[in-house]
Amino acid sequence: MEKCEAYLLFHGEISLSSWLRTFLYCLGLAYCFVGLSAITARFFRSMENVVKHSREVVEIDPHTKAEVVRRDKVWNYTIADISLLAFGTSFPQISLATIDAIRNIGNRYAGGLGPGTLVGSAAFDLFPIHAVCVVVPKAGELKKISDLGVWLVELFWSFWAYIWLYIILEIWSPSVITLWEALLTVLQYGLLLAHAYAQDKRWPYLSLPMARGERPEEWVPEETPLCSNKDNNNVYGQQYPEILPDPEGSGNVVDIFSIHSNSELDSDYRNLSSSDIAVGCSNEPSSEETDSWFLATWKQQFLDAIVLERPESRKLENIIIRGARISWQLLLTPWRLVFALVPPYQIAHGWIAFLCSLAFISGIAYVVTRLTDLISCVTGINPYVIALTALASGTSWPDLVASKIAAERQLTADSAIANITCSNSVNIYVGIGVPWLIDTAYNFLVYKEPLRIENAEGLSFSLLVFFCTSVGCIGVLVFRRLTLGAELGGPRIWAWLTSGYFMLLWVVFVVLSSLRICGVI
């Protein structure tokens, strides 16, 4: 095998042995995946603030002629799940595929990283993430989908996405993608949004005649409102959570920029005593106090990033566990310092933090693309195999974190499962559609030719395997609904058996797809 002449940072990398270069690049890839996981928690928190945004609506009471003021949510929760949640958590894959397409402009053949990553990501979303979510609820706790009609619509478009992909790859124009096929692929994302919204609103003729179950008013449970404490020069308010040093006693847990269960010992949490929370609830913060809070919060994010040990860790008697936690915190410190640049999520209803999080995700995706190219170059492994396995799993980590958070934090299973099914739809309609649209448009304008797909047979085979295994996955979810009354949780033994079954389906998909790509079957 010829020596790989490409390098990441320094030309001197070429002089290193192949096994050492492979090890270092794989280590860098794993560290990028850790970064993706870290930024996802902040992304999810900012998205919560976006979805919670409400506007004031003034109406005239027809009987009393008096003005009635009420607050309406700006975002429809179904649209938020499909767009903000699914699109945001799929942004690593979308960014990677788009970067791969831009690098590939001028080439008559499409790049292999994008489609391979997105199909592999779909399998990771459907199987391992379901496997995690089903065991997240506490023992005996059940969480079910409250709006089955919306879920069925999302499920239909998710399955249709892969059927559509198979049709354009194998039936209409085998092994090539035309400009119109790429354009139709992207436009179907709009149809998904419109159909899901129609189902949520129960529009006649456009929705399934299915009643909606009980659904909470809030997208996530309300947190304990915080208030002002002038003596301590702290500013509280329902929109302005306070940051305090960790006291030694127990108190209410208020997280700053990540969402986990209260039992987790994470640096993003602060304990507030009940007396701190109870003071001055009737006072509204002034603009000066708000500015002071903003600067204090942003400053505290950087201070938090360099703290390696929490009071809870100091109480541990096991030196090995304590040392492991400190080592892990040290490993995360560079990422935390970088992500502390993201403004507090309470600013502008969370939009600034939301967009900054997506920008960081896109940057990490670019580094991941470079590392994957180098690993393929040094080892000689088919890049499609790397994309289908390691790359798909790593870039899907934000999906896993977001679905796990939703399964823990929300009262129903709607968002946790919707994120999985909608992410799969987004992967095809946007993640594959947009990159193909870029390349097909260029080829059409310059060469007057369609875009050719290398290893289209391998991709089509992966789609068939995925479709068959996904039927087995959805069938089990339906069976759990009919027998246990919910898709997630339940008796511990059944939850773990379901989780193991989902993981087995994923292994079957990965093994069969990899063997076909390598020409073994």
Side-chain angles (χ1 to χ4, degrees):
M1 185 178 65
E2 295 183 3
K3 189 170 185 178
C4 178
E5 297 295 329
Y7 58 91
L8 180 64
L9 298 174
F10 310 106
H11 189 270
E13 297 172 19
I14 300 174
S15 61
L16 300 176
S17 62
S18 296
W19 70 267
L20 181 57
R21 292 182 68 186
T22 303
F23 174 75
L24 292 176
Y25 294 149
C26 288
L27 202 62
L29 194 63
Y31 197 59
C32 286
F33 294 156
V34 172
L36 284 175
S37 177
I39 192 62
T40 300
R42 194 137 348 158
F43 155 79
F44 195 93
R45 179 50 119 178
S46 64
M47 188 193 66
E48 275 193 345
N49 261 33
V50 172
V51 176
K52 286 181 178 179
H53 182 208
S54 60
R55 63 174 180 268
E56 190 175 275
V57 178
V58 179
E59 295 179 339
I60 304 298
D61 189 298
H63 302 290
T64 63
K65 305 300 181 182
E67 288 189 350
V68 178
V69 180
R70 60 183 174 85
R71 301 198 67 85
D72 284 351
K73 296 294 181 183
V74 173
W75 279 89
N76 174 272
Y77 294 153
T78 297
I79 299 300
D81 284 339
I82 300 174
S83 55
L84 296 178
L85 181 59
F87 184 84
T89 55
S90 295
F91 202 70
Q93 302 95 300
I94 296 171
S95 298
L96 190 147
T98 304
I99 292 169
D100 189 45
I102 293 173
R103 294 189 311 164
N104 199 58
I105 286 180
N107 194 333
R108 287 177 168 82
Y109 282 87
L113 281 184
T117 301
L118 290 160
V119 174
S121 174
F124 189 90
D125 286 350
L126 193 63
F127 305 129
I129 297 183
H130 267 126
V132 170
C133 289
V134 79
V135 297
V136 162
K138 299 175 183 178
E141 183 183 9
L142 293 170
K143 292 192 176 183
K144 65 179 182 179
I145 299 172
S146 64
D147 197 334
L148 281 174
V150 169
W151 179 65
L152 288 175
V153 168
E154 295 167 347
L155 190 64
F156 164 77
W157 284 100
S158 177
F159 272 99
W160 168 248
Y162 294 92
I163 296 173
W164 166 256
L165 201 60
Y166 185 83
I167 289 173
I168 62 178
L169 282 173
E170 293 293 328
I171 299 176
W172 279 4
S173 53
S175 300
V176 299
I177 298 296
T178 65
L179 177 60
W180 298 111
E181 288 172 340
L183 184 60
L184 285 174
T185 302
V186 175
L187 292 178
Q188 287 181 75
Y189 180 62
L191 293 178
L192 163 62
L193 288 171
H195 193 184
Y197 185 77
Q199 179 63 41
D200 182 74
K201 294 300 183 180
R202 296 304 191 269
W203 288 353
Y205 309 111
L206 294 177
S207 61
L208 299 173
M210 300 181 68
R212 193 203 318 272
E214 293 184 4
R215 184 173 65 178
E217 288 295 324
E218 293 295 333
W219 197 69
V220 294
E222 285 291 336
E223 296 174 355
T224 304
L226 302 179
C227 313
S228 62
N229 186 339
K230 303 289 184 180
D231 296 335
N232 293 331
N233 295 320
N234 293 327
V235 179
Y236 300 92
Q238 189 163 357
Q239 294 181 341
Y240 309 109
E242 175 58 15
I243 299 177
L244 294 176
D246 285 320
E248 291 298 326
S250 60
N252 296 294
V253 178
V254 180
D255 64 287
I256 302 305
F257 37 60
S258 72
I259 306 168
H260 301 282
S261 62
N262 291 355
S263 62
E264 291 182 24
L265 304 179
D266 190 274
S267 65
D268 296 337
Y269 288 94
R270 293 290 174 273
N271 291 321
L272 302 181
S273 64
S274 57
S275 60
D276 289 329
I277 294 177
V279 176
C281 288
S282 61
N283 296 330
E284 290 292 332
S286 65
S287 59
E288 292 182 0
E289 291 173 330
T290 302
D291 293 339
S292 174
W293 165 86
F294 172 76
L295 295 175
T297 303
W298 210 341
K299 176 184 176 181
Q300 189 66 38
Q301 290 184 178
F302 287 94
L303 295 177
D304 289 340
I306 59 176
V307 176
L308 299 181
E309 191 173 19
R310 304 291 164 185
E312 294 87 350
S313 297
R314 298 190 191 104
K315 297 176 183 178
L316 293 174
E317 297 180 0
N318 192 316
I319 298 178
I320 296 176
I321 296 178
R322 185 176 173 182
R325 285 187 172 177
I326 293 175
S327 300
W328 177 249
Q329 297 296 331
L330 185 63
L331 185 67
L332 291 177
T333 297
W335 285 126
R336 285 181 171 164
L337 282 171
V338 171
F339 298 151
L341 294 171
V342 176
Y345 62 82
Q346 296 88 353
I347 307 300
H349 305 294
W351 276 110
I352 297 177
F354 181 83
L355 295 175
C356 287
S357 298
L358 292 185
F360 276 115
I361 289 173
S362 184
I364 296 174
Y366 174 75
V367 178
V368 166
T369 304
R370 293 281 297 118
L371 288 170
T372 305
D373 286 341
L374 289 169
I375 292 172
S376 176
C377 179
V378 173
T379 62
I381 299 175
N382 189 317
Y384 189 87
V385 174
I386 298 176
L388 193 69
T389 53
L391 201 55
S393 303
T395 54
S396 293
W397 201 254
D399 283 314
L400 188 149
V401 174
S403 288
K404 176 181 176 292
I405 290 171
E408 285 176 335
R409 191 163 162 76
Q410 297 188 345
L411 303 178
T412 67
D414 291 74
S415 290
I417 295 180
N419 179 48
I420 297 170
T421 53
C422 294
S423 291
N424 286 349
S425 300
V426 171
N427 283 344
I428 299 300
Y429 300 135
V430 180
I432 290 183
V434 170
W436 278 357
L437 185 60
I438 293 171
D439 285 343
T440 53
Y442 184 89
N443 284 12
F444 178 79
L445 294 174
V446 176
Y447 304 124
K448 305 299 181 183
E449 293 181 2
L451 180 67
R452 304 186 184 279
I453 307 297
E454 196 171 5
N455 197 18
E457 291 184 358
L459 181 60
S460 299
F461 180 81
S462 296
L463 290 172
L464 286 176
V465 175
F466 173 76
F467 189 84
C468 294
T469 49
S470 61
V471 170
C473 175
I474 301 302
V476 168
L477 290 178
V478 173
F479 178 76
R480 285 176 57 86
R481 180 61 178 252
L482 295 176
T483 56
L484 299 177
E487 291 78 15
L488 305 182
R492 227 53 186 144
I493 184 170
W494 291 113
W496 281 107
L497 284 175
T498 305
S499 178
Y501 171 72
F502 289 157
M503 290 303 299
L504 178 62
L505 290 177
W506 182 62
V507 171
V508 169
F509 168 81
V510 169
V511 170
L512 290 179
S513 298
S514 299
L515 291 177
R516 179 57 182 265
I517 293 168
C518 296
V520 178
I521 57 175

